[in-house]
Amino acid sequence: MSIARRSLLTGSTAAVAAGALGTAGSAEAAGPARPGPDPLLARTPGRLGVPGVTGLHLQFGADPATEMTVSWISPCSVRRPQVRLGTHDGGAGSVVDAETRTYRDGLSREEVYVHHARLTGLRPDTTYLYSAGHDGTAPETGAFTTAPRGRTAFTFTSFGDQGAPNLRRVVTWPAGGAPSPSGRFPLYTSSQAGSPAAADIVAAVERVGPLFNLVNGDLCYASAAGLFGQDRVATWADWFIGNSRSTRLRPWMPCVGNGENEKGNGPLGLTGYQTYFTLPGPSGTAPETRGLWYAFTVGAVRFISLANDDVAIQDTGDTYVRGYSGGAQRQWLERELKAARGNAGIDWIVVFMHHPMISSSRSGSGSDVGIRTAWGPLFDAYGVDLVLCGHEHYYERSLPVRGAMPNEARTPVPVSTRTDVADTGKGTVHMIIGGGGNFATTQDDLFQEPKGRVVVDLAKEAEGRHRKAIFVTEDAPWRAVQDRVHTHGFAAFDVDPGDHRTGRTRIHVTYYTFDGPYGDLTPVDTFTLERPRKDARH
């Protein structure tokens, strides 16, 4: 499907916002004239010494059709953080006070303030304008579109493993000494595992203009910055500020990766992640696991975000936290899957998580039998359609799979060999989309033949910071398509509800690579998922 067609389907919020914010003062664009300036667009200068609104980002509430959270960051306490909400044709509406949450980084001891304004009672499939601010600062404006109700077309995008592109680490070049007249000079490089692509992907996502974006873990690699003596707080700020070109217009809904695990930041190393985001987690969740797994519905699609470091065997985080939920996450997941499959209004189940269940990487982290054993049977039993992952820094997808071989690796079993169309009513398609911007890409380190490596255990003794993974090599009959050429990319998903007469619904998928600061897109892989609609006439 063309990019132009996708914009017609979704109604790019970016385009709507640009038009609305650029012409809201005119009677033709904004409806009947109102006395005085539009409060949404009023922009008084900020006072010196008062931090501005930075890292503006959106998150869906429990009901994406009627709830949205507007969030931003400040390096110190501020007075009266609030959001003013309105519409293009209705002008300014309500003012919503923001809740401020804080944490103190375990390395730098720097305190972070994040402000969250929860907007409720919104209208489905409606574009809203808003301004966010606090006393003494110039407000920042944005826009968003709420999710539609019922079976309807929409577009979402997905990738993982982005990093932040800002240059904060100082080395000398040539190496070996301080800057001097002999020719050595300071060189600024990324301390955050990022690359230019970590910035360019933001423009690329905006070219598509999705309703929302899924981030499959390893957001900014603040934990890696901490290992090199860099500022973890600054790394988070760089990520939010760089991405706010998109995140102020559409939610970027995350899942937890090993890169979000920061030693010293709470019992699981995830206090930073939990402070920066307000996510629609299940009620009754313990504070230490708040927001680590959650679900939301858009149209006829149920999206489920998982924290699979809870069940993965491999030791790749700042701390090793396997088993931290004591089985609570798995119990919640089974309840969610059962409810979704029993809901007459839900056709699709999409899971997004960090560590993959399939991988053709020769020397990377590979697949993990802990995840295959804990969650694979649930995906099979309740017919999960699509699983989106990161962790491996390249692109790959599987054939639709159902069940597992009785071997040590629990190898998934394909139910079809077609690579252009997958019937997810018969099996689950897994995708690795881990080229979101990380510099350490591995598209050139894949098995040529259909094989993969699977983590099955850990060495008893640690080597350095981590215990070494023990792998087995498996034949990979599940393998479908890989991108062995391009370093970075993301996937766009066009949901086509179909109709009850034909009885089929489809998701058209395009994996894009991108180039340059304007996000020029090149399709690399296209295919279609299809399944029966719940309301099909038989």
Side-chain angles (χ1 to χ4, degrees), residues 35 43 57 67 79 131 135 164 193 211 221 263 267 275 294 302 364 375 379-380 387 422 430 446 483 494 499 511 524:
R43 187 173 176 83
H57 58 286
E67 303 174 18
R79 293 184 66 248
S131 64
D135 282 1
L211 181 64
Y221 297 94
K263 187 174 182 179
T275 304
Y294 63 92
R302 186 66 169 167
W375 293 346
F379 295 167
D380 292 337
V387 177
H430 294 256
L446 309 179
D483 182 3
D494 294 308
D499 62 65
Y511 176 73
V524 175

Side-chain angles (χ1 to χ4, degrees), residues 215-252:
V215 190
N216 306 329
D218 282 8
L219 282 61
C220 66
Y221 297 94
S223 60
L227 290 177
F228 292 101
Q230 305 299 308
D231 189 341
R232 298 191 300 201
V233 169
T235 302
W236 276 110
D238 288 343
W239 189 80
F240 279 109
I241 292 168
N243 289 342
S244 65
R245 291 175 291 161
S246 180
T247 60
R248 71 199 301 139
L249 302 174
R250 63 199 80 253
W252 282 30

Side-chain angles (χ1 to χ4, degrees), residues 15-317:
V16 172
L21 294 174
T23 61
S26 71
E28 179 179 338
R34 296 185 300 274
D38 189 330
L40 282 168
L41 301 179
R43 187 173 176 83
T44 56
R47 294 198 304 266
L48 292 177
V50 177
V53 175
T54 55
L56 199 57
H57 58 286
L58 300 168
Q59 304 111 91
F60 280 136
D63 179 6
T66 64
E67 303 174 18
M68 189 75 75
T69 299
V70 179
S71 305
W72 66 101
I73 310 165
S74 65
C76 61
S77 179
V78 299
R79 293 184 66 248
R80 293 199 302 177
Q82 58 185 213
V83 164
R84 186 179 294 274
L85 181 69
T87 60
H88 184 199
D89 57 355
S94 58
V95 174
V96 179
D97 291 332
E99 169 202 9
T100 298
R101 297 206 301 267
T102 70
Y103 79 99
R104 189 176 295 277
D105 182 73
L107 290 181
S108 68
R109 308 308 300 165
E110 183 177 350
E111 192 165 13
V112 179
Y113 298 78
V114 188
H115 316 288
H116 302 274
R118 301 189 187 201
L119 312 179
T120 61
L122 306 175
R123 297 192 300 272
D125 198 19
T126 300
T127 297
Y128 287 87
L129 310 181
Y130 69 90
S131 64
H134 43 262
D135 282 1
T137 191
E140 291 291 337
T141 55
F144 61 82
T145 299
T146 52
R149 289 269 195 225
R151 291 179 170 89
T152 189
F154 66 92
T155 296
F156 68 95
T157 53
S158 179
F159 64 82
D161 303 78
Q162 183 183 7
N166 286 16
L167 306 180
R168 292 189 178 274
R169 187 181 179 196
V170 183
V171 298
T172 56
W173 182 264
S180 71
S182 65
R184 294 189 177 95
F185 55 90
L187 175 68
Y188 291 83
T189 185
S190 176
S191 64
Q192 304 141 339
S195 72
D200 297 344
I201 197 169
V202 184
V205 166
E206 286 305 292
R207 293 288 297 273
V208 172
L211 181 64
F212 60 95
N213 179 53
L214 303 179
V215 190
N216 306 329
D218 282 8
L219 282 61
C220 66
Y221 297 94
S223 60
L227 290 177
F228 292 101
Q230 305 299 308
D231 189 341
R232 298 191 300 201
V233 169
T235 302
W236 276 110
D238 288 343
W239 189 80
F240 279 109
I241 292 168
N243 289 342
S244 65
R245 291 175 291 161
S246 180
T247 60
R248 71 199 301 139
L249 302 174
R250 63 199 80 253
W252 282 30
M253 303 298 287
C255 70
V256 173
N258 55 293
E260 280 65 72
N261 180 325
E262 301 170 304
K263 187 174 182 179
N265 284 351
L268 301 176
L270 298 172
T271 300
Y273 176 88
Q274 292 169 306
T275 304
Y276 288 111
F277 294 101
T278 292
L279 299 167
S283 60
T285 303
E288 61 269 20
T289 59
R290 174 180 48 83
L292 301 187
W293 50 86
Y294 63 92
F296 61 93
T297 298
V298 176
V301 186
R302 186 66 169 167
F303 294 89
I304 299 176
S305 175
L306 297 179
N308 58 5
D309 52 354
D310 182 23
V311 298
I313 293 172
Q314 57 195 265
D315 179 7
T316 53

